[in-house]
Amino acid sequence: FHPRSGVMRSLGRVFRALAPVKTRRRCFATANPSLVSFVNAPSLRPDDHSTFGAQVFPDFVTQQEHDQLVAIADVWLGKKRYQRDHWDSVIFNYREAERIPDMWPPELLPLIQRPETLLPGSEEMRPVHILDLHEEGFIQPHVDAVAYCGSAISGLSLISPCVFRLRHCERKTEFVDLLLAPRSLYVLQGPARYEWTHEIDDKTNESAIPGSVFGGTGESVERRRRVSIIFRRYNADQSNTPS
């Protein structure tokens, strides 16, 4: 949709009626280490955990901001069918869109600019990637192409929780789990970005690993439809096409 279309103007009126909280560009979010479980990564010593490069920031947006983002995602994706597989055979049962800042309602610009403060580098931000994963959808283990994006990636989780798994590229029995609740933001950089794949399993109901900091009670994380708003910088040396 063009930012001046009737649909976008209507959404703008809805957002203004909700009286969104004013946000600043600077981010004061705090990561919660208990949302990253290293139980199944024995090669990582405790001293390695702080430099691993995976962080989860809970409550990165308010519930009201969350609902606004879901509303705009539904407008942009609502008429699209879920695709069975992606061009790179990584994502299954999904819908997606990319939007540059000029296409977002002005009320939401502070929200999509907020994660930029957590991504290292000075390269320009890529268009925001909106990924809608069906409740039966899944993402195969992969590392985002270096030619496609920079040294860090982040994603804002909407609608439902999931266990986001990082698996070592060579020692495939080792993995690190991130618990992503709605409204939380994850950031991957350093070893977590380059040496570990990331995935969302294809199980409708998935339990966090036994004994982990968020799965020791045996509670399961129910898989439902989820939307991710993904943020990346351009790679300074990239060709602007995935490798």
Side-chain angles (χ1 to χ4, degrees), residues 12-231:
R13 288 193 292 270
V14 170
F15 294 149
R16 286 191 291 272
L18 288 173
V21 177
K22 293 183 179 180
T23 57
R24 297 179 179 178
R25 181 71 177 271
R26 189 177 177 188
C27 177
F28 296 94
T30 302
N32 185 344
S34 70
L35 299 176
V36 182
S37 173
F38 294 94
V39 171
N40 279 293
S43 68
L44 294 176
R45 301 168 300 175
D47 290 346
D48 298 326
H49 295 179
S50 61
T51 58
F52 178 66
Q55 295 176 294
V56 179
F57 297 81
D59 302 324
F60 191 78
V61 297
T62 67
Q63 186 63 50
Q64 184 170 298
E65 292 168 338
H66 167 280
D67 295 345
Q68 291 176 340
L69 290 168
V70 172
I72 191 64
D74 285 342
V75 168
W76 283 331
L77 299 173
K79 293 185 178 181
K80 291 187 175 184
R81 291 187 176 185
Y82 285 95
Q83 302 297 310
R84 295 302 302 174
D85 56 58
H86 199 251
W87 60 267
D88 59 4
S89 299
V90 167
I91 312 174
F92 296 84
N93 221 340
Y94 73 99
R95 304 183 292 190
E96 67 179 347
E98 286 193 337
R99 293 292 184 265
I100 61 175
D102 288 349
M103 301 176 72
W104 289 79
E107 294 82 1
L108 295 185
L109 280 177
L111 297 185
I112 65 168
Q113 292 169 340
R114 195 180 300 170
E116 183 178 347
T117 63
L118 298 173
L119 297 181
S122 57
E123 293 78 18
E124 182 182 353
M125 295 295 290
R126 293 191 60 87
V128 176
H129 183 195
I130 305 164
L131 178 63
D132 182 342
L133 197 64
H134 189 275
E135 65 179 18
E136 296 180 357
F138 58 97
I139 301 176
Q140 299 270 43
H142 70 285
V143 174
D144 284 10
V146 175
Y148 184 63
C149 55
S151 62
I153 59 175
S154 67
L156 181 61
S157 297
L158 307 177
I159 300 180
S160 69
C162 81
V163 174
F164 191 69
R165 179 157 293 177
L166 310 182
R167 191 179 300 276
H168 196 275
C169 292
E170 296 179 356
R171 300 185 298 274
K172 298 186 183 300
T173 59
E174 291 198 26
F175 55 87
V176 174
D177 278 344
L178 281 60
L179 181 61
L180 304 181
R183 302 191 293 115
S184 67
L185 181 95
Y186 71 83
V187 176
L188 302 181
Q189 56 187 313
R193 161 75 173 92
Y194 294 110
E195 300 172 18
W196 299 66
T197 62
H198 53 271
E199 65 186 89
I200 295 179
D201 201 358
D202 60 348
K203 298 176 182 177
T204 301
N205 291 284
E206 53 188 354
S207 297
I209 51 179
S212 75
V213 288
F214 48 78
T217 62
E219 296 179 357
S220 64
V221 177
E222 183 179 359
R223 172 71 61 78
R224 294 185 287 119
R225 175 204 174 203
R226 70 185 307 270
V227 171
S228 300
I229 311 293
I230 303 169
F231 307 89

